[in-house]
Amino acid sequence: MDIAKFMDLLSSRRLWLSNAEFLAREDPYEGILNEVLFPHRVWKSIASLPKDLREFVLAKFTKTPEVTPEMAFSRWMSWEEQICLMMEATRRELYVNCWHADNHESVAMWKIYSSMGAGVAVLSNGARIEQSVNSVEEHLYLGKIRYRGPNEVRVGVGNMFDTILVKRLSYKYEQEVRLVFCDTSVSHDALDGATWNAETMRYENLKKDERPVVAGRHIECDIHTLIERVIVSPFSPSWCVSMIEAVRDQLGFKFPVQRSKLLDAPEVAQ
């Protein structure tokens, strides 16, 4: 992270969680499971479904003799539409704090996430992150991002975290782990008042969310527990280490600070 964000972390003693809808301004696939929205729409009838999926639909939605296969298909389509619409609506209720999980430093990550070379890497681990926020009222979830290929398609979702913990392979270099919070107190129901049109296989009169998108929110955390040590960017000015140490001491923290050795000249064998 850049120095400004790090100073905010130390001085506020709070983690910043970005809103997923806000992040989608840079990555429009943020919080989206597939390369296409509403993937179930490619099928037009019960007969067009792949065999395994067709058997699932018939087993789940044909509970009484009067329900025909096409009626079961319509019910399944309605169900899938609801899932996709709720997925879109839920994105602005999700907040994430992102970490890079690796045993080695990454030149790419330094260049992308440290502003003009003045940045730091906060070293921590899953246990530290969870323990640092275990006293807050909010229910948080820590999970590792799964990177999906371009031809991977999923229908149906287990829960809301399935969507926020999936990204495209193009982002695999990030090796991301996310701390996630879902603010259900501000949920929006796009289906409130909507009606299902069995002919078009679409919901009509959907309710649009007119609320402004919030950039993110802070969550209280225990800095002493969170930070194991801090590494300063190899591209940073020489004074960065001493400046961070001075701020650390002034705020009463004790984590070690060191400059990255990533760009140091190789040692000469003796």
Side-chain angles (χ1 to χ4, degrees), residues 1 6 9-10 15 97-106 110 119-130 132 222-234 244 254-261:
M1 66 176 73
F6 181 61
L9 170 65
L10 296 186
L15 283 171
N97 179 259
C98 307
W99 295 77
H100 173 66
D102 207 337
N103 293 322
H104 308 281
E105 294 178 52
S106 164
W110 278 125
V120 302
V122 173
L123 267 66
S124 190
N125 56 50
R128 280 180 173 270
I129 295 171
E130 290 183 336
S132 72
D222 181 350
I223 299 296
H224 296 283
T225 302
L226 178 69
I227 301 179
E228 179 179 338
R229 60 191 168 103
V230 170
I231 298 179
V232 179
S233 169
I244 292 172
K254 299 185 181 298
F255 53 78
V257 181
Q258 66 186 72
R259 184 180 178 83
S260 169
K261 297 181 179 180

Side-chain angles (χ1 to χ4, degrees), residues 4-135:
K5 291 180 179 178
F6 181 61
M7 291 303 167
D8 176 67
L9 170 65
L10 296 186
S11 60
S12 69
R13 299 170 188 257
R14 298 185 299 174
L15 283 171
W16 173 255
L17 280 72
S18 298
N19 184 272
E21 187 72 26
F22 192 81
L23 293 178
R25 296 177 180 181
E26 292 189 2
D27 177 13
Y29 290 85
E30 183 68 58
I32 302 297
L33 273 179
N34 304 299
E35 287 290 315
V36 295
L37 298 174
F38 302 91
H40 56 280
R41 291 180 179 177
V42 300
W43 295 296
K44 307 302 181 183
S45 67
I46 188 70
S48 66
L49 293 176
K51 181 176 181 294
D52 290 346
L53 183 55
R54 182 168 64 250
E55 291 176 352
F56 165 78
V57 170
L58 292 174
K60 183 174 181 64
F61 296 96
T62 309
K63 300 296 185 181
T64 55
E66 64 270 16
V67 178
T68 66
E70 288 304 328
M71 289 170 62
F73 177 75
S74 178
R75 292 179 179 182
W76 173 73
M77 287 288 286
S78 171
W79 182 55
E80 288 293 338
E81 284 284 316
Q82 290 181 45
I83 290 174
C84 291
L85 289 167
M86 287 188 291
M87 186 191 308
E88 286 188 317
T90 301
R91 187 161 66 176
R92 69 170 58 195
E93 300 165 14
L94 292 166
Y95 296 81
V96 299
N97 179 259
C98 307
W99 295 77
H100 173 66
D102 207 337
N103 293 322
H104 308 281
E105 294 178 52
S106 164
V107 172
M109 295 296 289
W110 278 125
K111 290 185 175 181
I112 294 170
Y113 291 101
S114 59
S115 177
M116 302 298 291
V120 302
V122 173
L123 267 66
S124 190
N125 56 50
R128 280 180 173 270
I129 295 171
E130 290 183 336
Q131 290 171 16
S132 72
V133 295
N134 64 6
S135 63

Side-chain angles (χ1 to χ4, degrees), residues 126-168:
R128 280 180 173 270
I129 295 171
E130 290 183 336
Q131 290 171 16
S132 72
V133 295
N134 64 6
S135 63
V136 302
E137 294 181 356
E138 294 88 349
H139 294 289
L140 303 168
Y141 176 80
L142 188 68
K144 190 174 183 179
I145 292 290
R146 180 177 66 85
Y147 298 94
R148 58 169 171 76
N151 298 320
E152 180 181 337
V153 176
R154 285 186 58 189
V155 291
V157 181
N159 58 62
M160 68 184 72
F161 295 111
D162 284 351
T163 61
I164 202 63
L165 293 177
V166 172
K167 295 184 78 171
R168 291 175 290 170

